[in-house]
Amino acid sequence: MGHAELTIHDQAATRQISLDEYWMPFTPNREFKADPKMVVRAEGMYYWNDRGGKIIDGSSGLFCVNAGHGRKEIAEAVGRQMRELDFVAPFTRGHPKQFELATRVAELTPGDLNRIFFTNSGSEAVDTAMKVALAYHQARGQSGRTVFVSRERAYHGVNMGGVALSGLVNNRRKFGPGLPGIAHMRHTHLKENFFTPGEGAHGMELAEDLLRFVNLYGAENIAACFVEPIAGSTGCLVPPKGYLKRLREICDAHGILLVFDEVICGFGRTGQTFAAQSFGVTPDLMTMAKGITNGAQPMGAVAISERIHDTIMAAAAEGAIEFFHGYTYSGHPGPCAAGLATLDIYKNDGLFERGRALSPYFLDALFSLKDLPVVADVRGYGMFGAIDVHPDGAPGRRGHILQKKLFDHGLHVKATGDCQLVAPPLIAEKKHVDEIVDILKRALVAL
């Protein structure tokens, strides 16, 4: 490979930077370095590239910047915290903001999901939830429960536990068989539900796949069932009507824990704080990340039922570590300060309510594209939607080209294969929705 460098023109100075040393994640690196898509500034609904071009953010960064970019309240809170306390060992030591943020998060979670374990990402939150499930069953004297059930087309992060749960083949194929004892239910993306806003009428019966695994492996061997309420990274797959409630019933009948991965769905994306509340189903554990700090600091968390927490606690000897797990940066002071400031913004600005009010306009605007010849499907729920384009040659090729063209035309969205994922910040107004959809339409017509 030849040497790659880029001239950056920003507010500070014009300077040369090398592109060789950084290995970018989930990116065709050689292609990027031949034609960089560089961002140097962000504020509100917009990014600016290195040439001064303005780009509207149609995917909240990566589904995390729900309160919009450049929130000074968060930056100032983190700065104050770093000057006061930059780090404390999280094992056998604590700091007040860990407990304050856990209390604030627990006020938002449904049911008795009132015990909060902090991680640094959604991937770590998923692996933590797996360990909690295993520890809970062991504490109950059911250590044989080691099988996990997930779904095809699921995405649960990139750590080895999450990769094993994943139902996206490209996330798995390079890394061997992964963890043993993982079973995958079928996904719910059915042709009968194409071009349906909200929950589709077909597919509730696919929840019976969990019952098939009960009959195949024995309920006494199954620890937990992991699902994204709306499958996110795979392409905004909204569950069929009654599907999540049926999973809850099967789990309750057979002692299986139900885990919702709300890393994308959480913090207002579905019109409520969490999708669990939007769909009226309370899980036993719930993972979150992204919107917990508005993307300003790395942080994830697991919300755990009091029943599960107390069972694990009671099984440990007095003075012993009850749950042998954690990370150097669990509950780091900086992300905790960012999280508290972010929750204040959500509350004070009424952003969840704003998103819920804008959702019908947003979905109607997306569905206005359904008759374009290149469009294969449109779907969505709340402030989260997806547009599939018909493949052109190799799967994903046309979608990849489209997302690059959209960026060049002033729109950032996340692409997965031939799907464009649209999830604007909750500060969006109708004019921003119009701008996003207008750019989408022009690019789709020209594709």
Side-chain angles (χ1 to χ4, degrees), residues 281-297:
V281 178
T282 301
D284 301 296
L285 299 105
M286 188 165 67
T287 65
M288 64 191 80
K290 295 188 184 290
I292 194 171
T293 64
N294 200 46
Q297 293 274 284

Side-chain angles (χ1 to χ4, degrees), residues 386-428:
I387 299 172
D388 287 344
V389 295
H390 291 291
D392 178 22
R397 190 179 75 88
R398 175 175 262 173
H400 181 64
I401 291 170
L402 176 58
Q403 63 85 19
K404 291 196 297 179
K405 288 183 179 295
L406 289 170
F407 186 87
D408 291 339
H409 284 81
L411 171 62
H412 161 74
V413 291
K414 167 70 170 70
T416 297
D418 288 309
C419 175
Q420 308 297 309
L421 292 163
V422 189
L426 304 180
I427 63 166

Side-chain angles (χ1 to χ4, degrees), residues 21 69 83 90 107 109 115 143 158 214 218 220 238 240 266 271 274 278 297 303 318 342 402 404 423 436:
E21 288 74 22
H69 293 278
R83 290 188 292 272
E107 290 171 354
T109 52
R115 300 295 178 259
S143 56
V158 295
V214 167
E220 70 278 9
V238 183
F274 294 102
S278 294
Q297 293 274 284
E318 191 67 32
T342 297
L402 176 58
K404 291 196 297 179
I436 290 168

Side-chain angles (χ1 to χ4, degrees), residues 21-61:
E21 288 74 22
Y22 178 47
W23 194 348
M24 300 175 69
F26 279 118
T27 301
N29 278 248
R30 291 166 294 182
E31 179 185 280
F32 177 91
K33 291 171 184 181
D35 181 23
K37 309 293 185 186
M38 200 72 76
V39 171
V40 298
R41 187 166 72 87
E43 182 179 352
M45 286 289 299
Y46 293 92
Y47 289 117
W48 282 261
N49 65 24
D50 56 300
R51 297 176 299 280
K54 193 175 181 181
I55 300 127
I56 191 166
D57 185 357
S59 290
S60 301

